[in-house]
Coordinates of all heavy atoms in Angstrom, one line a residue:
D789 N 57.4 17.1 62.7 CA 58.1 18.0 63.6 C 57.1 19.1 64.0 O 57.1 19.5 65.2 CB 59.3 18.7 62.8 CG 60.4 17.7 62.6 OD1 60.4 16.7 63.2 OD2 61.2 18.0 61.7
V790 N 56.2 19.6 63.1 CA 55.3 20.6 63.4 C 54.3 20.1 64.5 O 54.0 20.7 65.5 CB 54.5 21.1 62.1 CG1 53.4 22.0 62.5 CG2 55.5 21.7 61.2
V791 N 53.7 18.9 64.2 CA 52.8 18.3 65.1 C 53.4 18.1 66.5 O 52.8 18.4 67.5 CB 52.2 17.0 64.5 CG1 51.3 16.3 65.6 CG2 51.3 17.4 63.3
A792 N 54.6 17.6 66.5 CA 55.2 17.2 67.8 C 55.4 18.5 68.7 O 55.3 18.4 69.9 CB 56.6 16.6 67.5
A793 N 55.7 19.6 68.0 CA 56.0 20.8 68.8 C 54.7 21.3 69.6 O 54.8 21.9 70.6 CB 56.4 21.9 67.9
F794 N 53.5 20.9 69.1 CA 52.3 21.4 69.7 C 51.6 20.3 70.6 O 50.6 20.6 71.2 CB 51.3 21.9 68.7 CG 51.7 23.3 68.2 CD1 52.6 23.5 67.3 CD2 51.0 24.4 68.8 CE1 52.9 24.8 66.9 CE2 51.3 25.7 68.4 CZ 52.3 25.9 67.4
T795 N 52.1 19.1 70.5 CA 51.3 18.0 71.2 C 52.1 17.3 72.2 O 51.6 16.3 72.8 CB 50.8 17.0 70.1 OG1 52.0 16.4 69.5 CG2 49.9 17.6 69.1
K796 N 53.3 17.7 72.5 CA 54.2 16.9 73.4 C 53.8 16.9 74.9 O 54.2 16.1 75.6 CB 55.6 17.3 73.2 CG 55.9 18.8 73.6 CD 57.3 19.2 73.2 CE 57.6 20.6 73.5 NZ 59.0 21.0 73.1
T797 N 53.0 17.9 75.3 CA 52.7 18.0 76.7 C 51.1 17.9 77.0 O 50.6 18.5 78.0 CB 53.2 19.4 77.3 OG1 52.6 20.4 76.6 CG2 54.7 19.4 77.2
L798 N 50.4 17.2 76.1 CA 49.0 17.2 76.2 C 48.5 16.2 77.2 O 49.0 15.1 77.3 CB 48.3 16.9 74.9 CG 48.7 17.9 73.7 CD1 48.0 17.5 72.5 CD2 48.3 19.3 74.1
E799 N 47.4 16.5 78.0 CA 46.8 15.6 78.9 C 45.3 15.6 78.5 O 44.7 16.7 78.5 CB 47.0 16.0 80.3 CG 48.5 15.8 80.8 CD 48.6 16.1 82.2 OE1 47.6 16.3 82.9 OE2 49.8 16.2 82.7
P800 N 44.6 14.5 78.3 CA 43.2 14.5 77.9 C 42.3 15.1 78.9 O 42.4 15.0 80.1 CB 42.9 13.0 77.7 CG 44.3 12.3 77.6 CD 45.2 13.2 78.4
I801 N 41.3 15.8 78.3 CA 40.2 16.4 79.1 C 38.9 15.8 78.7 O 38.6 15.7 77.5 CB 40.1 17.9 78.9 CG1 41.4 18.6 79.4 CG2 38.9 18.5 79.6 CD1 41.5 20.1 79.0
L802 N 38.1 15.3 79.6 CA 36.9 14.6 79.3 C 35.8 15.7 79.0 O 35.5 16.5 79.9 CB 36.4 13.7 80.5 CG 35.3 12.8 80.2 CD1 35.6 11.8 79.1 CD2 34.9 12.0 81.5
L803 N 35.2 15.6 77.9 CA 34.1 16.6 77.5 C 32.9 16.3 78.3 O 32.5 15.2 78.6 CB 33.9 16.5 76.0 CG 35.0 17.0 75.1 CD1 34.6 16.8 73.6 CD2 35.3 18.5 75.3
P804 N 32.1 17.4 78.5 CA 30.8 17.2 79.2 C 29.8 16.4 78.4 O 29.8 16.5 77.1 CB 30.3 18.6 79.4 CG 31.0 19.4 78.4 CD 32.4 18.8 78.3
I805 N 29.1 15.5 79.0 CA 28.1 14.7 78.3 C 26.8 15.5 78.2 O 26.3 15.9 79.2 CB 27.9 13.3 79.0 CG1 29.2 12.5 79.0 CG2 26.7 12.6 78.4 CD1 29.1 11.3 79.9
V806 N 26.3 15.6 77.0 CA 25.1 16.4 76.7 C 24.0 15.5 76.1 O 24.3 14.7 75.2 CB 25.4 17.6 75.7 CG1 24.1 18.3 75.5 CG2 26.4 18.5 76.3
E807 N 22.8 15.5 76.7 CA 21.7 14.7 76.2 C 20.6 15.6 75.8 O 20.2 16.5 76.6 CB 21.3 13.6 77.3 CG 22.4 12.6 77.6 CD 21.9 11.6 78.6 OE1 20.7 11.8 79.1 OE2 22.6 10.6 78.9
T808 N 20.0 15.4 74.6 CA 18.9 16.2 74.2 C 18.1 15.4 73.2 O 18.6 14.5 72.6 CB 19.4 17.5 73.4 OG1 18.3 18.2 72.9 CG2 20.4 17.1 72.3
N809 N 16.8 15.7 73.1 CA 15.9 15.1 72.2 C 15.8 15.9 70.9 O 15.0 15.6 70.0 CB 14.5 15.0 72.8 CG 14.4 14.0 74.0 OD1 15.1 13.0 74.0 ND2 13.7 14.3 75.0
S810 N 16.6 16.9 70.8 CA 16.6 17.8 69.6 C 17.1 17.1 68.4 O 18.0 16.2 68.4 CB 17.5 19.0 69.9 OG 17.7 19.8 68.7
N811 N 16.6 17.5 67.2 CA 17.1 17.0 65.9 C 17.7 18.2 65.1 O 17.7 18.2 63.9 CB 16.0 16.3 65.1 CG 14.9 17.2 64.7 OD1 14.8 18.3 65.2 ND2 14.1 16.8 63.7
K812 N 18.1 19.2 65.9 CA 18.7 20.4 65.3 C 20.2 20.3 65.1 O 20.9 19.8 66.0 CB 18.4 21.6 66.2 CG 16.9 22.0 66.3 CD 16.7 23.1 67.2 CE 15.2 23.4 67.5 NZ 15.0 24.5 68.4
T813 N 20.6 20.7 63.9 CA 22.1 20.8 63.6 C 22.4 22.2 63.2 O 21.9 22.7 62.3 CB 22.4 19.8 62.5 OG1 22.1 18.5 62.9 CG2 23.9 19.9 62.2
L814 N 23.4 22.7 63.9 CA 23.9 24.1 63.6 C 25.2 23.9 62.8 O 26.1 23.2 63.3 CB 24.2 24.9 64.9 CG 24.8 26.3 64.7 CD1 23.9 27.2 63.9 CD2 25.2 26.9 66.1
V815 N 25.3 24.5 61.6 CA 26.5 24.5 60.8 C 27.1 25.9 60.7 O 26.4 26.8 60.3 CB 26.2 23.9 59.4 CG1 27.5 23.6 58.7 CG2 25.4 22.6 59.5
V816 N 28.3 26.0 61.1 CA 29.1 27.3 61.0 C 30.1 27.2 59.9 O 30.9 26.3 59.8 CB 29.8 27.6 62.3 CG1 30.4 28.9 62.3 CG2 28.8 27.4 63.5
Y817 N 29.9 28.1 58.9 CA 30.8 28.1 57.7 C 31.8 29.3 57.8 O 31.4 30.4 57.7 CB 30.0 28.2 56.4 CG 29.0 27.2 56.2 CD1 27.6 27.6 56.3 CD2 29.3 25.9 55.9 CE1 26.6 26.6 56.1 CE2 28.3 24.9 55.7 CZ 26.9 25.3 55.8 OH 26.0 24.4 55.6
T818 N 33.0 29.0 58.2 CA 34.1 30.0 58.1 C 34.9 29.8 56.9 O 35.1 28.6 56.5 CB 35.0 30.0 59.4 OG1 35.8 28.9 59.3 CG2 34.2 30.0 60.6
S819 N 35.4 30.8 56.3 CA 36.2 30.7 55.0 C 37.1 31.8 54.8 O 36.8 32.9 55.3 CB 35.2 30.5 53.8 OG 36.0 30.2 52.7

Side-chain angles (χ1 to χ4, degrees):
D789 293 339
V790 174
V791 170
F794 279 83
T795 60
K796 59 186 178 183
T797 59
L798 302 180
E799 294 184 8
I801 297 172
L802 188 63
L803 292 176
I805 297 174
V806 178
E807 295 182 355
T808 175
N809 294 323
S810 170
N811 66 346
K812 296 176 183 177
T813 300
L814 176 65
V815 189
V816 184
Y817 305 110
T818 72
S819 188

